Amino acid sequence: MGEEMKNTNNSECPSDLYDKFCASNSCTEILELFDRMCESLSIAPPRIGGADHHGFYHRFKSLLRTTKSMSLWTKLDKRASESVYADGNACSKNKVLIIGAGPCGLRMAIECAFLGAKVVLVEKRPQATRNNVLHLWTYVPYDLKALGAKEFYPRFCTGGIDHISIRQLQSILLKTALLLGVEVHINTTFNDIIEPTDDAHHGFRADISPVDSPVSQFDFDVLIGADGKRNTLKGFKRKGARGKLAIAITCNFLNKRTTRESLVQEKGGFNYLYSLQMFKDLNDKTGIYLENFVYYKADTHYFVMTAHKKSLLKKGVLKEEHADTSKLLGRDNVVYEYLVSYAKEAANEMTEYKIPDLEFALNHYGREDVAMFDFTSFFTAEHSSRVIERHGHKLLVGIVGDSLQEPFWPSGSGCAKGILGVLDAAYMVKQWGDGVDPLQILATKESVFRMFLSAWTSHSLFSKPQEFTIDPKTRYKNCETDFLKPKDVKYLYDDGTGV
Ligand code: FAD
C-alpha cells in the first residue's frame, strides 16, 4: 500500500517522525515527537483551555495513513467500536484527572479516552526508568496487543513466558494514550484536591506543583489516583496483613543479544517447596540461601529472588540483625557492594554461568541496577471509590494499581491485577457518565472490588480474554455486581455534612 498523508508543514516528514515515535523508549522524547508530529500535520494536540480532545484521534488518523500506522488504527478502531464506549460518547461531558503515569495510570487514561472523556494525566517524574520486568497473566498480552503493543514493540511476548519491562510497558501505553487525545504533563505533581467554595466560579481543581502548571486551571469531575504504593489521595484507608519475613532482591544485567545469551532458558519461578534440593545445593556451595527465583530475558536479563535473612547476614549484605524490618533493610544496614556481588553470584549460579560476562545494567542513579525490597507485609485499600459533593459540584474519586492493592511481584499480580482494577474503575466512570445515581455507582464498584480482591490467579477469570471489556461481567466468574446496596456505601458519599 502506498503511503499517503497530508504534510502541511513541510519541515519534517510525519511518517519519519511516526517511525521515531514508535521506536522511542524515552518519555520526554515520546512527548516531544508527538508534538512535532502534530505540528507537521498541522493539528493541534488537545490542551487545557486550548484545542478540544473530541475527534482528535480521528483527525490525526485521517492525516497519518502509513502502512505502519494503519495497522495500529485498525486495532484501536476495533477496540473503540465496543458498544460499552457508545462511539466515544459515553463520557463525552466528563473531565478526568489521573495521578501517575505508571502502567495503571496510563492504562486508565486510555479507557477514559475511549469513553470520550477529556483526560489529563500528571506525572511527577520526567522519565520512566524501571528496567524491572512484569510477569503477565494470560489475559494481559491480549489486552495490550489490542492497544498496539506489537506495533510499538515488535518483540512483545515473543518468548516462552509472557513478560515486559515496566519502562517498555509505560512507553507503549503513553504512545497509545497520546494518540487517543490524552493530555500528559510530566514533572507535574498532584498535591491535593481543591474543593470549590461557595463563591468560586469553578468546580473541583487540584493543588499542583509547579503552581503555574495549566493543570491548576483544570476543572474535573473524576479523579483517579494511580500514583503507586504511596498513594497521595486522602480518604482511602488501608488494611495490612503481616506475613513471614520476605526479602526480595531484583537485578538487571545488559542483554547484548548474542547467540549464547539467546540460548539461556528463562525460569518462570522456582519455589523452595518444589526445588528444595536445588536451593540446598546452592546454599551449600555459595552460602546464598533463596526461597524462590525468577529469571526473565527482556531488554535486560532480569532476576527477582527472595533471600533468607541469615544468608544475607552471613554474606555481609546486611550488617546487623534487627527485628524491625525497616531497620534491617535500612540504608545504613545494607552494604551495597556486597548486595551487588550477592545478586550477581546468585544470577550466575542459577543460570549455570551460561550468560557470558554478566554486566549490570545501570539504574537511574547510574549505579548497578540492583535493589532489595521488603515483602513482609501487604496492604489493601479498604475501599476503592468515593464521591465528594460540595456546593453543587460532585467529584467521583477512585484509586487503581498499586494504590489499591500492594502486589507480590513474583506472581505478576502488579500488572495483571492492576489492569483488572483499571477496567473496573473505567466501568465506574462510564456509569458516572451515564448519569447513574452516585450511591448506586459506589455500591456496584465496591461489589466489584470484592471480586477483584479475591482474584488471585487468572483462574478466577473467564477463559476468553478477547471478550473482556470494562464490564466486570465479561471478566470475573461468578460476578455479583449487586452484592452491596446503596445503603451499605453511604459512608463513601461525602457531602461535607460529616454524616
Ligand atoms: P507505579 O508503577 O508505581 O506508578 C505510579 C506513578 O505515579 C509513578 O510514575 C510515580 O512517579 C507517579 N506519582 C506518584 N505520586 C505522584 C504525585 N503526587 N503526582 C504525580 N505523579 C505521581 N512489579 C513486578 O512485578 N516486578 C518488579 O520487579 C517490580 N519492580 C518494581 C520496582 C519499583 C522501584 C517499583 C516502584 C515497583 C515495582 N514493581 C514491580 C511494581 C510494578 O511496577 C507495579 O505493580 C505496576 O507498575 C503497576 O503500578 P502502578 O501503575 O499502580 O504504579
Side-chain angles (χ1 to χ4, degrees):
M1 190 177 64
E3 303 212 339
E4 170 200 328
M5 80 204 83
K6 257 193 199 144
N7 177 9
T8 12
N9 171 353
N10 283 326
S11 57
E12 293 197 277
C13 171
S15 69
D16 289 349
L17 289 170
Y18 183 71
D19 289 348
K20 286 184 195 155
F21 174 80
C22 288
S24 179
N25 212 349
S26 141
C27 189
T28 40
E29 189 183 53
I30 292 167
L31 290 168
E32 190 211 312
L33 284 164
F34 176 71
D35 283 349
R36 279 162 57 193
M37 259 193 303
C38 289
E39 202 185 329
S40 70
L41 291 167
S42 298
I43 175 172
R47 291 282 179 261
I48 296 161
D52 191 45
H53 70 287
H54 290 113
F56 172 81
Y57 163 67
H58 293 287
R59 285 197 298 281
F60 192 98
K61 188 179 80 169
S62 68
L63 293 171
L64 189 87
R65 300 181 74 78
T66 67
T67 312
K68 204 167 172 181
S69 67
M70 292 299 280
S71 125
L72 178 66
W73 307 147
T74 307
K75 290 195 171 130
L76 297 183
D77 285 348
K78 183 162 184 268
R79 179 86 190 194
S81 68
E82 280 172 12
S83 58
V84 75
Y85 302 124
D87 286 328
N89 290 313
C91 295
S92 58
K93 294 200 172 69
N94 300 99
K95 293 180 180 172
V96 183
L97 179 66
I98 297 175
I99 314 164
C104 293
L106 288 161
R107 187 65 191 80
M108 185 72 207
I110 290 171
E111 283 309 319
C112 293
F114 277 131
L115 287 164
K118 162 75 192 165
V119 191
V120 175
L121 186 150
V122 288
E123 166 56 52
K124 67 178 179 186
R125 296 174 200 276
Q127 281 294 9
T129 53
R130 283 172 281 169
N131 289 321
N132 284 3
V133 177
L134 305 170
H135 169 68
L136 306 177
W137 289 8
T138 324
Y139 85 90
V140 180
Y142 286 91
D143 182 81
L144 298 176
K145 281 180 193 168
L147 300 175
K150 277 280 190 194
E151 278 68 19
F152 296 132
Y153 181 49
R155 281 205 178 95
F156 179 63
C157 289
T158 44
I161 305 172
D162 291 336
H163 51 65
I164 188 166
S165 75
I166 303 172
R167 168 214 294 256
Q168 190 65 255
L169 178 56
Q170 285 172 284
S171 298
I172 290 170
L173 296 174
L174 174 61
K175 291 171 200 172
T176 307
L178 289 170
L179 293 170
L180 291 174
V182 173
E183 187 173 339
V184 177
H185 292 258
I186 54 171
N187 292 315
T188 306
T189 303
F190 170 91
N191 300 316
D192 209 346
I193 297 173
I194 299 179
E195 294 179 356
T197 49
D198 206 3
D199 52 355
H201 300 293
H202 56 75
F204 283 91
R205 287 192 176 173
D207 173 357
I208 295 285
S209 302
V211 276
D212 60 353
S213 162
V215 185
S216 304
Q217 303 302 313
F218 182 53
D219 284 25
F220 47 88
D221 66 333
V222 179
L223 176 62
I224 302 291
D227 46 344
K229 202 174 152 172
R230 289 198 179 85
N231 182 24
T232 18
L233 264 184
K234 292 175 186 148
F236 288 91
K237 282 197 197 148
R238 297 169 162 188
K239 51 187 174 209
R242 210 182 148 74
K244 168 172 143 315
L245 178 68
I247 303 171
I249 297 174
T250 60
C251 50
N252 287 280
F253 300 91
L254 296 181
N255 182 354
K256 297 166 194 158
R257 303 198 190 278
T258 60
T259 313
R260 277 179 69 191
E261 284 168 282
S262 70
L263 296 174
V264 185
Q265 291 284 313
E266 296 184 297
K267 297 183 194 305
F270 281 124
N271 186 291
Y272 192 80
L273 292 176
Y274 305 108
S275 315
L276 201 64
Q277 193 56 47
M278 189 183 70
F279 286 126
K280 192 173 171 308
D281 291 347
L282 177 71
N283 186 23
D284 292 346
K285 183 178 170 197
T286 63
I288 292 173
Y289 191 5
L290 302 181
E291 283 186 338
N292 67 40
F293 177 89
V294 171
Y295 159 54
Y296 294 141
K297 204 181 322 170
D299 291 338
T300 57
H301 295 285
Y302 164 80
F303 296 84
V304 57
M305 54 197 101
T306 38
H308 260 266
K309 177 174 70 174
K310 261 192 212 158
S311 84
L312 293 168
L313 285 162
K314 198 163 111 193
K315 300 277 275 182
V317 178
L318 298 176
K319 289 184 195 160
E320 283 175 23
E321 164 73 293
H322 285 286
D324 177 345
T325 323
S326 59
K327 278 197 187 143
L328 183 73
L329 302 186
R331 198 175 289 191
D332 295 344
N333 202 39
V334 176
V335 182
Y336 180 75
E337 290 69 26
Y338 289 145
L339 173 61
V340 166
S341 53
Y342 187 101
K344 185 166 177 176
E345 190 179 1
N348 266 324
E349 286 288 341
M350 295 298 284
T351 51
E352 298 162 51
Y353 287 84
K354 284 183 180 160
I355 306 174
D357 310 321
L358 265 191
E359 194 183 325
F360 271 100
L362 298 182
N363 61 21
H364 56 287
Y365 301 113
R367 302 191 74 182
E368 292 93 342
D369 191 350
V370 54
M372 192 154 57
F373 300 89
D374 170 24
F375 276 113
T376 310
S377 40
F378 282 94
F379 75 80
T380 297
E382 287 188 2
H383 57 90
S384 63
S385 56
R386 58 195 289 251
V387 169
I388 308 174
E389 183 182 345
R390 296 288 185 273
H391 303 291
H393 297 273
K394 290 191 181 107
L395 177 69
L396 176 66
V397 191
I399 49 173
V400 296
D402 287 7
S403 297
L404 198 57
Q405 187 173 48
E406 193 170 4
F408 182 59
W409 299 349
S411 73
S413 59
C415 184
K417 291 203 77 174
I419 295 180
L420 274 186
V422 161
L423 298 177
D424 297 344
Y427 189 67
M428 165 180 85
V429 175
K430 177 194 155 46
Q431 291 191 309
W432 187 252
D434 285 347
V436 176
D437 176 66
L439 277 176
Q440 183 57 59
I441 295 176
L442 294 171
T444 306
K445 179 66 178 75
E446 297 310 313
S447 299
V448 172
F449 184 46
R450 289 170 57 94
M451 289 179 292
F452 166 88
L453 288 178
S454 56
W456 268 111
T457 66
S458 50
H459 299 299
S460 326
L461 305 172
F462 284 122
S463 58
K464 287 192 180 161
Q466 308 87 318
E467 292 172 10
F468 284 15
T469 74
I470 60 174
D471 185 342
K473 290 198 179 94
T474 62
R475 291 176 278 118
Y476 297 108
K477 289 180 184 167
N478 310 317
C479 187
E480 257 188 288
T481 53
D482 58 355
F483 182 85
L484 295 169
K485 308 286 178 233
K487 65 175 173 42
D488 302 323
V489 293
K490 276 192 177 152
Y491 71 104
L492 298 177
Y493 197 107
D494 169 8
D495 60 6
T497 58
V499 182

